[in-house]
């Protein structure tokens, strides 16, 4: 009986060294991990003391006064892991080996599975590695998703100008204005050398560091239902500056020809990947509006009918609860 209790206690202590907690990276220096990740993760801080951090593995023994130094040594071990070619067992996700079909759901497909976090997944494809480039013919990207914010820090945006269903004069400069929240903007990397080349990171407040983009596409009418071709657009601009008072702007200096347009946002992490959030069911992280450009800036004769039709189409659409 005593041996069984001792065994369970030792097993619990051993497993505790594999417990990790996702913490934000330093706000302006993402390559430096948060100050005490290893001390918190591996139990080699003040509580463990002794010799734990000296080997960088968090297996310290004893108690007392060297906890801070051990935490620093453990941090150095985590930094060394960023250049190691070996997968650290502390980051292996056992659930990745489960295809999700324990309780089958109609129409649900089995997940791909892995016991090594898919570290060599790209070997299963003949596609080239993304390798920091925008490869138009397709590629495979081996970088992990990275840090994911909590549910209260999911970003969202909303256009201020042009107003939805607004009218603008043709070939006349205008400024796109967009409010954005729960995201630290002003972070972007070289899109030709570092595209998708690093994981998503968070600031010290747990918000995604990144930037946004706006894209304007010409459509046939406000009633168009045919999907657009994403490779064709009338205007595109990366919003690389930090938001001013929660607002991002882009100048369309030459205006646009007469027509009907859709304006959309693309909120991304620092390395240009679309922002990733913690839950599947959430409101849109981006915004999209529609506006019309006319030669004189006045509504076309059919504009009122089109607006009324759009309004009628939205009538009676309540907030449908998720099943």
């Amino acid at each position: 009986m005593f041996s069984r209790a001792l065994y369970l206690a030792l097993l619990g202590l051993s497993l505790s060294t594999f417990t990790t907690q996702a913490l934000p990276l330093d706000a302006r220096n993402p390559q430096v991990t948060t100050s005490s990740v290893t001390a918190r993760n591996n139990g080699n801080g003040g509580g463990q003391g002794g010799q734990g951090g000296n080997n960088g593995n968090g297996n310290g023994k004893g108690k007392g006064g060297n906890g801070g130094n051990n935490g620093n040594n453990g941090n150095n071990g985590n930094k060394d892991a960023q250049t190691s070619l070996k997968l650290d067992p502390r980051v292996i996700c056992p659930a990745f080996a489960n295809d999700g079909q324990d309780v089958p759901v109609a129409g649900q497909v089995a997940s791909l599975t892995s016991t090594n976090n898919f570290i060599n997944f790209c070997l299963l494809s003949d596609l080239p590695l993304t390798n920091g480039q925008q490869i138009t013919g397709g590629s495979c990207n081996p970088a992990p998703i990275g840090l994911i914010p909590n549910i209260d820090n999911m970003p969202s945006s909303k256009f201020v100008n042009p107003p939805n269903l607004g009218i603008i004069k043709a070939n006349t400069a205008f400024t796109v204005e967009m409010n954005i929240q729960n995201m630290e903007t002003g972070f972007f990397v070289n899109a030709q050398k570092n595209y998708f080349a690093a994981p998503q990171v968070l600031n010290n407040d747990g918000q995604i560091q990144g930037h946004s983009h706006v894209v304007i596409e010409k459509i046939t009418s406000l009633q168009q239902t045919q999907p657009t071709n994403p490779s064709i657009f009338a205007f595109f601009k990366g919003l690389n500056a930090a938001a001013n008072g929660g607002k991002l702007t882009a100048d369309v200096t030459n205006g646009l020809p007469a027509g009907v347009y859709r304006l959309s946002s693309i909120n991304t992490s620092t390395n240009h990947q679309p922002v990733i959030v913690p839950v599947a069911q959430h409101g849109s992280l981006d915004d999209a509006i529609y506006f019309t450009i006319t030669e004189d800036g006045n509504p076309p004769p059919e504009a009122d009918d089109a607006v009324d039709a759009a309004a009628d189409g939205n009538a009676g659409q309540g907030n449908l609860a998720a099943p």
Side-chain angles (χ1 to χ4, degrees):
M1 185 70 177
F2 173 77
S3 298
R4 175 179 174 81
L6 179 60
Y7 170 78
L8 291 176
L10 292 174
L11 178 61
L13 179 61
S14 175
L15 290 176
S16 69
T17 64
F18 291 89
T19 302
T20 60
Q21 178 179 356
L23 294 173
L25 302 187
D26 180 84
R28 290 284 171 180
N29 197 5
Q31 71 271 22
V32 179
T33 54
T34 334
S35 59
S36 57
V37 171
T38 304
R40 293 171 184 167
N41 290 355
N42 308 328
N44 61 358
Q48 291 289 328
Q51 304 171 2
N54 294 332
N55 59 18
N57 294 324
N59 296 321
K61 299 178 181 180
K63 301 179 181 178
N66 295 325
N69 292 333
N70 291 337
N72 290 333
N73 291 336
N75 283 339
N76 292 333
N78 268 5
K79 292 177 185 178
D80 293 342
Q82 304 312 306
T83 58
S84 173
L85 297 182
K86 296 181 180 179
L87 178 63
D88 192 308
R90 292 173 298 171
V91 300
I92 294 178
C93 292
F96 287 4
N98 187 329
D99 68 1
Q101 296 299 83
D102 305 78
V103 182
V105 175
Q108 175 179 282
V109 300
S111 172
L112 296 179
T113 59
S114 173
T115 57
N116 67 353
N117 285 13
F118 295 97
I119 58 174
N120 294 316
F121 174 76
C122 287
L123 293 178
L124 299 177
S125 169
D126 292 331
L127 291 172
L129 297 179
T130 307
N131 200 25
Q133 299 174 312
Q134 300 179 46
I135 302 176
T136 59
S139 64
C140 183
N141 185 39
I145 288 175
L147 303 184
I148 300 175
N150 64 36
I151 196 170
D152 294 323
N153 276 319
M154 295 191 294
S156 68
S157 59
K158 194 74 188 75
F159 286 112
V160 177
N161 190 67
N164 192 34
L165 303 179
I167 308 294
I168 297 176
K169 186 176 181 179
N171 304 312
T172 301
F174 65 94
T175 298
V176 174
E177 300 178 11
M178 185 180 76
N179 289 331
I180 191 165
Q181 66 180 13
N182 291 338
M183 179 172 164
E184 186 179 9
T185 53
F187 290 83
F188 70 101
V189 298
N190 185 332
Q192 306 306 318
K193 299 292 185 180
N194 307 114
Y195 190 72
F196 291 0
Q200 176 173 279
V201 299
L202 309 178
N203 65 13
N204 287 334
D205 294 323
Q207 295 181 341
I208 295 171
Q209 289 180 332
H211 59 288
S212 191
H213 315 72
V214 293
V215 59
I216 301 176
E217 301 165 275
K218 190 172 185 179
I219 56 178
T220 56
S221 72
L222 293 174
Q223 288 77 40
Q224 177 177 329
T225 57
Q226 179 68 26
T228 59
N229 182 343
S231 66
I232 300 174
F233 47 86
F235 177 84
F236 186 99
K237 179 68 174 178
L239 308 181
N240 297 331
N244 184 2
K247 180 179 292 185
L248 296 169
T249 61
D251 295 325
V252 187
T253 54
N254 296 321
L256 293 169
V260 181
Y261 295 87
R262 178 177 69 178
L263 167 63
S264 307
S265 67
I266 306 173
N267 296 322
T268 70
S269 301
T270 302
N271 287 76
H272 306 278
Q273 62 268 53
V275 290
I276 301 294
V277 293
V279 292
Q281 293 187 359
H282 59 78
S284 177
L285 309 176
D286 285 286
D287 192 23
I289 65 161
Y290 298 82
F291 64 95
T292 302
I293 294 182
T294 62
E295 293 296 344
D296 57 6
N298 294 319
E302 68 276 11
D304 290 339
D305 293 338
V307 172
D308 290 342
D312 290 342
N314 291 327
Q317 298 298 313
N319 184 15
L320 301 180

